Amino acid sequence: MTHPTEHSLVQGGRSAALATACVRGGVAAGLGLGALAVLVTAAWISSPYPDGGPGGALHVASGLWLLAHGVDVVRTDTLSGLPAPLGIAPMLLAALPVWLVHRAARDTLDPGDDGDRPRPSPSGTVAAVAGGYLLVAAVVVVYSESGPLPADLITAGLWLPAVVLGAAGAGVWTALGRPLPGQRQAAAALRATGLGLVTLCGGGAVLAAVSLAWHAGEAQAAFTGLAGEWSGRAAVLLLVLALLPNAAVWGAAYGLGPGFTLGTGVLATPLGLAGDPAVPSFPLLAALPAEGRGTWVHWAAAAVPLAATLVQGWRVGRTAKGWPARDAALTVLASAWGCGAAVAVLAAAAGGPLGSGRLSAFGPVWWQAGAATVLWGACLGVPVALTVRAWGRRALRPKPLPLSVPAPASVPVPVPASVSASAPSGTGIGEPFDLEAQPDAAPDAAPGGPAPQTTGIGPGTRAAAAPTPSAPTPVPAPAPALDLDLDDDPGYEPYDYLPAAWEPSPPPPDPKA
């Protein structure tokens, strides 16, 4: 009889965890595909002129699912009969598949309430979840080949694995607590990259919204001209909503300077629209700038990359207060390169072909948008970061200590009569006065000697015995105050330095002695 060892149990637990992660990836792919299939089937049922049957609706759903992952599809039912590529992916449509993959990887690595169950390694989690998802995707690619929107195999082999692996990696990073690199420069560059990218895309969305509101009449005419019944208008409205992130990226590319292409030989930039655009009738395309030279309204789009670069430089400069200037400058450059890479990926996803011939190039050019982002960050972000850093270092400089003020010289101060009267002869201010040396009565005379003379000073005649005030006595300057607690000193007597007024003066010396 054999007993399983602890090593075999652990290996078996990890294998089961990897198999579970693979199943989670396949379920995530099925959920995304099923959601699109339900949406397309509902539109097909509500259409007054349905065609193709349920099988056609499922083929359209599979084509849209692949298009959401960045895969180009080919339209076979064109008016000319020639196949035409379709490569512009609705970026909002990609939110659901990406979120499902992200959640599957996060839940696989995060134990949750059950902390005793085995967990795979982070790299194993990414591979298992992505592997299960790509198995379903391969089946969908094969299924789409027999429909009206077959997938392009080249883009399916490039973009589909990249999107799935990126989403799974983001889920694992979230499960690990979103750690940043150990080096402070790398972490600061990543934070600045995120802020700059959000600012740039947000500004692009504002530009697109303002332009669409400016051309509201043309957009409404295009919307009503595409479909007359409510089901068709609902489908067009859903497509417009799915393409809103694409419009934000187009606006960001327009503000960066390179702009976007509207067909072969047609370029739209803040300087103007060059060429003869041939664009289809669509509500979002009504927001395109008019032909001719650009005005100050178009030049104002440069405020979007300006604001994004200022945010990047401010973030790095605020973090790099105690860093050398060289490290701050290199951090800004790294942030500019990171933001440029992200913008290049977004521009490639937001654009693509809409057909063959003149519409084979449509949208921003990815490498131009990325290069423009890097130039903005390098030329403007570095001086902004160094300026913010220099301003922040002012608070880190030590303040000068206040100079010590010399003590004033001693000046003669007249002694009050009451003080001099109470002071015994031969005793000055500030000298110790012995209370025990003051007898209460005159001593007895020596045998055979003369009787002692009393001073005549008694308790009832103290006021008449006040002598003439003495000359002013110089008082030394007060010493610096010391932080001493005199109440705790047993040898301290408060009346050792200044006699009280009620104490009698000692008798004068006998001249006959």
Side-chain angles (χ1 to χ4, degrees):
M1 180 177 182
T2 59
H3 298 279
T5 62
E6 182 180 359
H7 179 73
S8 62
L9 288 176
V10 171
Q11 291 295 331
R14 289 182 179 176
S15 300
L18 289 175
T20 303
C22 186
V23 172
R24 285 178 181 271
V27 170
L31 288 176
L33 182 60
L36 277 178
V38 169
L39 186 63
V40 172
T41 303
W44 173 74
I45 293 175
S46 61
S47 176
Y49 308 105
D51 54 353
L58 293 179
H59 279 94
V60 171
S62 63
L64 289 178
W65 186 80
L66 293 174
L67 191 63
H69 293 79
V71 179
D72 292 350
V73 296
V74 180
R75 293 188 297 113
T76 57
D77 54 347
T78 58
L79 295 178
S80 60
L82 299 176
L86 177 62
I88 297 182
M91 298 181 69
L92 188 61
L93 201 63
L96 179 61
V98 168
W99 178 75
L100 289 173
V101 179
H102 176 276
R103 183 180 177 181
R106 184 198 63 190
D107 294 345
T108 300
L109 198 60
D110 190 4
D113 297 334
D114 188 9
D116 297 333
R117 66 179 177 86
R119 294 185 302 167
S121 62
S123 58
T125 301
V126 173
V129 172
Y133 196 97
L134 292 176
L135 285 177
V136 178
V139 175
V140 175
V141 169
V142 174
Y143 176 75
S144 66
E145 293 297 325
S146 59
L149 294 175
D152 181 53
L153 298 181
I154 297 178
T155 56
L158 294 177
W159 278 98
L160 190 57
V163 171
V164 174
L165 288 174
V172 170
W173 181 60
T174 303
L176 295 177
R178 298 183 180 90
L180 294 175
Q183 295 183 353
R184 56 183 183 178
Q185 289 86 358
L190 285 177
R191 292 190 182 97
T193 298
L195 287 177
L197 187 62
V198 170
T199 306
L200 189 62
C201 293
V206 171
L207 288 180
V210 170
S211 181
L212 190 62
W214 188 268
H215 302 86
E218 293 86 343
Q220 184 178 3
F223 179 77
T224 56
L226 285 176
E229 63 282 351
W230 67 270
S231 59
R233 291 183 179 181
V236 173
L237 181 60
L238 290 177
L239 185 57
V240 168
L241 293 177
L243 288 171
L244 286 179
N246 300 60
V249 177
W250 283 38
Y254 184 81
L256 285 169
F260 44 82
T261 60
L262 299 175
T264 55
V266 183
L267 183 62
T269 64
L271 299 178
L273 178 61
D276 184 16
V279 295
S281 177
F282 194 72
L284 286 181
L285 295 180
L288 295 175
E291 299 182 20
R293 287 189 174 184
T295 60
W296 66 269
V297 177
H298 303 89
W299 302 338
V304 172
L306 178 63
T309 308
L310 290 178
V311 168
Q312 280 183 292
W314 170 80
R315 178 65 181 182
V316 174
R318 186 180 178 184
T319 308
K321 292 180 182 178
W323 301 358
R326 179 175 177 272
D327 292 346
L330 291 178
T331 303
V332 177
L333 291 177
S335 174
W337 277 98
C339 192
V343 169
V345 173
L346 291 177
L354 271 182
S356 58
R358 298 186 59 184
L359 294 180
S360 59
F362 210 77
V365 182
W366 64 270
W367 65 268
Q368 293 180 1
T373 306
V374 174
L375 288 178
W376 275 94
C379 297
L380 189 60
V382 173
V384 169
L386 294 180
T387 303
V388 174
R389 169 188 169 274
W391 182 264
R393 289 175 67 90
R394 294 174 66 253
L396 301 179
R397 297 175 183 173
K399 298 181 180 179
L401 297 176
L403 299 177
S404 59
V405 180
S410 60
V411 294
V413 179
V415 181
S418 60
V419 176
S420 61
S422 62
S425 60
T427 303
I429 301 300
E431 297 179 1
F433 180 72
D434 191 1
L435 294 176
E436 297 179 357
Q438 304 293 330
D440 295 338
D444 296 338
Q453 298 178 359
T454 60
T455 58
I457 301 176
T461 59
R462 289 193 300 269
T468 305
S470 59
T473 305
V475 179
L482 300 178
D483 190 9
L484 299 176
D485 191 0
L486 298 179
D487 294 336
D488 296 337
D489 188 1
Y492 170 71
E493 297 182 5
Y495 293 102
D496 283 351
Y497 300 96
L498 187 62
W502 52 267
E503 297 175 352
S505 300
D510 189 1
K512 296 180 180 181

